[in-house]
Amino acid sequence: MRPALVRFLPRRAALPRSRGFTLLELIVTIVIAGIVAGMLSIFIVKPIQGYTDLSRRAALVDAAEGALRRMARDLRLALPNSVRVTNSTDGFALELLPIIDGGKYTTSGATSVKINLQGSFDADFDNLGCFQNITPGVYSTYRIVINNLGTAGFDAYEPLTLGKQGITLGVITPVGLTITITNNTGASCPTIGDQHINFSANHAFLDSSPQSRFYVVEKPISYLCDKANGTLTRYANYPVQTSQPVTAAALNGLSGVTSALVTDSIGACSVTSTAADVRNRGLATLDLTLSKDGETIRLIHQVQLDNSR
């Protein structure tokens, strides 16, 4: 009997097992990732938040410092006794007459050299030196002031009066009077020599300066702090006003006025309490508070005024 044939079939390769995450493993992974993210937030989010707060605070300080320096620079250039301040619950209005240049005069010598004072009219006199900021020429926008006291009768903001023969009388030359500046013989200004000043019309200065000084000024400058709108604005190039303009409407309505925003985000602001304090003490205290996005900073700056006449 023949043995049975045994047929061997080729062995089939084993199929790989299918692998994946169980629901439990996925939940554990999510929980661990959440814990790690929470721990990282403690070390990363806080420093980032601190950096953001510091940047916002620095921006407010920079804005306040810039505004205070701008006002301080103008105040230091103010004509003695010309600073006017009005504080209110809405903020403040600050006004001044900026000095362009100045010099010294004499009351002795030749008629064309000396100046006549105490109400005596004059049309020309010498500057005993050289202007540093004004070159020789003809000027219709500059005005000359002698002995401004900021008091009734001796105030550069007051309307001028007419004396005998229609001569303009006051501590400041009138609008429209032309000033011509020339170098005297041998002068090489602005380094050496002296200069001659000629008026287009006679003017009578009310009184003499204790230090024989005169100043050349131009149109007023005002700063208006408006807490309601959170703004500090600078106004310039408007005519001298007898009464101080203290609102945006009054300032914007002036002929030729120009304005520029100094800073915003104003929360509080003030200047020395009254104009009398500023004039008599020669010291202005500027106080600004700026607020933005939950950050608040306050800066105080004092400015020494030159009230010498």
Side-chain angles (χ1 to χ4, degrees):
M1 183 174 184
R2 298 177 63 182
L5 296 176
V6 179
R7 187 178 181 182
F8 294 92
L9 296 176
R11 188 174 181 179
R12 299 178 64 183
L15 295 176
R17 290 184 61 189
S18 176
R19 294 186 179 183
F21 293 106
T22 65
L23 180 60
L24 179 60
E25 290 173 330
L26 186 61
I27 293 174
V28 170
T29 301
I30 293 174
V31 171
I32 293 174
I35 294 172
V36 172
M39 294 178 63
L40 288 176
S41 67
I42 297 175
F43 299 101
I44 295 178
V45 174
K46 289 297 183 181
I48 292 176
Q49 184 64 45
Y51 174 78
T52 303
D53 294 342
L54 182 62
S55 298
R56 189 185 305 116
R57 198 175 304 121
L60 288 176
V61 171
D62 185 64
E65 283 186 341
L68 290 173
R69 288 174 182 171
R70 183 79 178 269
M71 287 192 290
R73 182 171 63 249
D74 282 336
L75 281 169
R76 291 190 183 100
L77 294 175
L79 174 72
N81 302 309
S82 73
V83 177
R84 302 197 289 191
V85 177
T86 299
N87 283 298
S88 69
T89 55
D90 296 325
F92 69 77
L94 181 152
E95 187 179 34
L96 59 94
L97 288 170
I99 294 173
I100 303 302
D101 217 318
K104 289 226 173 188
Y105 62 78
T106 180
T107 56
S108 61
T111 302
S112 62
V113 173
K114 68 180 181 180
I115 191 170
N116 297 320
L117 299 167
Q118 280 81 39
S120 299
F121 72 83
D122 207 343
D124 63 339
F125 66 97
D126 273 1
N127 172 22
L128 302 181
C130 294
F131 289 120
Q132 299 300 305
N133 301 319
I134 304 175
T135 58
V138 180
Y139 299 93
S140 59
T141 57
Y142 292 162
R143 303 174 71 181
I144 289 181
V145 184
I146 295 178
N147 200 43
N148 178 54
L149 301 178
T151 57
F154 295 86
D155 193 342
Y157 290 107
E158 288 185 348
L160 300 177
T161 59
L162 292 178
K164 294 180 180 180
Q165 301 175 346
I167 304 303
T168 309
L169 189 69
V171 299
I172 186 171
T173 55
V175 174
L177 183 144
T178 300
I179 299 170
T180 302
I181 301 171
T182 56
N183 288 342
N184 284 331
T185 303
S188 180
C189 289
T191 56
I192 190 171
D194 51 19
Q195 296 174 311
H196 191 69
I197 300 169
N198 183 268
F199 298 153
S200 60
N202 289 332
H203 179 74
F205 290 100
L206 285 170
D207 204 355
S208 60
S209 160
Q211 300 183 37
S212 300
R213 292 181 176 178
F214 70 92
Y215 296 97
V216 183
V217 302
E218 58 180 359
K219 294 181 179 180
I221 291 173
S222 280
Y223 285 90
L224 183 67
C225 180
D226 185 348
K227 290 194 297 185
N229 292 316
T231 58
L232 177 65
T233 307
R234 184 180 187 268
Y235 296 85
N237 200 42
Y238 61 89
V240 169
Q241 304 295 303
T242 304
S243 299
Q244 182 188 4
V246 296
T247 65
L251 284 162
N252 287 322
L254 297 174
S255 174
V257 68
T258 59
S259 63
L261 179 67
V262 179
T263 189
D264 56 10
S265 305
I266 296 288
C269 55
S270 66
V271 186
T272 304
S273 57
T274 66
D277 286 338
V278 175
R279 290 177 176 178
N280 296 333
R281 297 178 186 175
L283 186 69
T285 301
L286 310 173
D287 190 342
L288 285 183
T289 299
L290 270 62
S291 300
K292 188 175 183 179
D293 298 332
E295 291 288 345
T296 298
I297 63 97
R298 180 186 181 190
L299 294 184
I300 299 175
H301 186 67
Q302 289 189 316
V303 185
Q304 186 69 45
L305 305 180
D306 181 9
N307 279 345
S308 58
R309 296 173 286 110

